[in-house]
Amino acid sequence: MNWQFWIHLALAILGTAYFLYSYLKEKKIYQLLFVIWIPLTLLTYVCKQQWQILILGGIQLIFFILVIYFLFRNPGKKSAMQSTLDQLDAYGVETTDASDTAGVDTAASDDAEALDNTDDEIEATDGGADTETAEVSDDAQAEESSDADKD
């Protein structure tokens, strides 16, 4: 066998080992496809007839399309909770399960809900007026008076 085969074989072994390791670590589908596709390229040394080469080329084209699809596929947005957990994991913070918090006092969360309810009650007694727009208009009036003082 010639030297090109040995270089191809060495690179195929390295590439397959790398993508197998990364698949076991990250569990991405395109990595698994590379684990199958890279050794398949060695069949070019076995195929001697034209129809075998065409079938192998078609199979490799299918693998190429699948790898591109799964590489750039957006599996959907993560929920806000999941993205927060991912950020915490990145900083090494341990998260707790719902079963771990079963005995925890929920008074703080009840207080927070009570505050949310008082905001709703204020808006209801306000006649539906938005307190934020009232604050904005007060700020706008304060800016106008400060501009007038500068002149």
Side-chain angles (χ1 to χ4, degrees):
M1 303 228 162
N2 56 11
W3 61 275
Q4 289 102 352
F5 170 76
W6 295 109
I7 291 175
H8 189 172
L9 181 63
L11 291 175
I13 290 171
L14 286 173
T16 303
Y18 169 76
F19 282 108
L20 182 61
Y21 171 76
S22 62
Y23 174 73
L24 293 174
K25 186 176 176 183
E26 299 174 17
K27 302 285 188 211
K28 307 256 177 153
I29 295 174
Y30 77 91
Q31 296 164 334
L32 183 62
L33 289 170
F34 269 121
V35 168
I36 299 167
W37 185 19
I38 291 173
L40 221 115
T41 62
L42 292 172
L43 288 178
T44 56
Y45 295 102
V46 177
C47 297
K48 299 296 181 198
Q49 296 179 358
Q50 183 69 26
W51 65 272
Q52 293 172 336
I53 293 172
L54 288 174
I55 289 175
L56 181 61
I59 292 170
Q60 289 189 10
L61 178 64
I62 291 170
F63 269 95
F64 175 75
I65 292 169
L66 287 173
V67 164
I68 296 299
Y69 172 74
F70 284 112
L71 185 62
F72 294 109
R73 179 180 70 138
N74 188 5
K77 288 190 170 188
K78 293 182 178 179
S79 67
M81 173 84 137
Q82 186 61 39
S83 62
T84 304
L85 289 175
D86 290 345
Q87 289 175 354
L88 291 174
D89 287 341
Y91 290 110
V93 176
E94 291 186 23
T95 57
T96 58
D97 292 338
S99 61
D100 294 341
T101 59
V104 176
D105 184 23
T106 57
S109 63
D110 292 341
D111 291 342
E113 289 176 12
L115 288 175
D116 289 342
N117 291 340
T118 57
D119 290 342
D120 295 339
E121 290 170 4
I122 290 172
E123 287 179 9
T125 58
D126 226 1
D130 191 5
T131 57
E132 290 180 3
T133 55
E135 291 174 9
V136 170
S137 63
D138 291 341
D139 291 339
Q141 289 173 356
E143 285 180 23
E144 288 176 6
S145 64
S146 66
D147 289 340
D149 291 341
K150 290 179 183 176
D151 290 335

